[in-house]
Amino acid sequence: MANKVAQETISDRAQPKLATLIWLCVAAWMVPGLGHMLLGKKWRALILFSAIVIMFLMGIAMQGELFSTGTDSYLQTLGFFGEMCVGLAMPVARFFGYAGGNPLFVSADYGTAYLVAAGMLNALTVLDTYDIAMGRKP
Amino acid sequence: MVLAHFPAMLFFSFLVSVVFGVLGKNTLRERIVYGAWVFVAFVGVALALGWMMYPVP
């Protein structure tokens, strides 16, 4: 009963404009948690930002590999798109001199996994922002 | 930063569990329970797979 009432309350909300949705999703992609912050979910935004940025920074600290598209390997191309999902963090890391990791470093494999996972988690965050904006989630 | 496999796996599981918990459920209690369950599942499955692969050369 309570779920039904909550569902009706959610679906009664006005649908946002397309431009607003696109802006929210781009913001959520660029900075982890920013989409939630703009929607007024401050604690959720803070937790998501902290978890994803910590994961990315640990990946950098463990010399994880930053993939590029200039290879014949489909897996590396997928890895590039996975890491791109983390938003501005990747170009910022490159700006501060991170050259893409050292594959011979002892923790490099874990570092790469951390970097790709940070991107994938941010992709989920973008989808969650979209759902909240559409009124599908509280 | 050099982390051994087990702490690296624990940190990874913890951070992913936090995000899954926040995104996957709607109330605080549900989030904590779900996040803890995902964390235990991550670590448990990793340990089980590790033991299963132990005899493999």
Side-chain angles (χ1 to χ4, degrees):
Chain A
M1 182 66 188
N3 274 347
K4 194 178 175 187
V5 172
Q7 201 66 42
E8 284 169 0
T9 310
I10 288 169
S11 58
D12 285 347
R13 274 198 211 159
Q15 298 291 314
K17 290 179 184 169
L18 181 63
T20 310
L21 276 177
I22 292 173
W23 159 240
L24 281 170
C25 289
V26 169
W29 167 63
M30 286 197 301
V31 179
L34 183 57
H36 287 78
M37 176 70 90
L38 294 172
L39 288 167
K41 316 286 182 192
K42 290 177 185 164
W43 282 108
R44 236 182 282 184
L46 182 67
I47 294 170
L48 291 171
F49 177 83
S50 307
I52 293 172
V53 169
I54 287 172
M55 188 166 237
F56 186 81
L57 291 177
M58 285 181 74
I60 296 282
M62 287 191 274
Q63 299 278 316
E65 185 177 356
L66 284 185
F67 293 114
S68 65
T69 52
T71 65
D72 291 335
S73 165
Y74 289 118
L75 285 179
Q76 293 212 353
T77 306
L78 280 176
F80 171 77
F81 286 117
E83 289 176 349
M84 247 189 64
C85 288
V86 85
L88 285 179
M90 199 164 87
V92 167
R94 283 195 194 276
F95 177 79
F96 283 107
Y98 189 71
N102 173 12
L104 300 177
F105 188 68
V106 64
S107 295
D109 285 342
Y110 258 112
T112 305
Y114 271 64
L115 292 177
V116 176
M120 296 288 88
L121 292 177
N122 199 36
L124 289 179
T125 305
V126 173
L127 294 176
D128 194 61
T129 302
Y130 179 81
D131 276 345
I132 295 171
M134 290 295 286
R136 295 174 185 159
K137 268 188 83 174
Chain B
M1 175 194 261
V2 178
L3 279 181
H5 287 282
F6 191 65
M9 187 267 287
L10 284 182
F11 274 120
F12 184 91
S13 307
F14 175 74
L15 293 170
V16 173
S17 305
V18 167
V19 176
F20 276 18
V22 169
L23 298 182
K25 298 291 175 183
N26 294 328
T27 66
L28 179 63
R29 185 184 153 73
E30 283 177 340
R31 283 178 180 146
I32 291 172
V33 170
Y34 183 61
W37 170 241
V38 171
F39 178 74
V40 169
F42 259 123
V43 176
V45 169
L47 288 177
L49 284 175
W51 277 105
M52 279 168 59
M53 288 190 291
Y54 184 69
V56 178

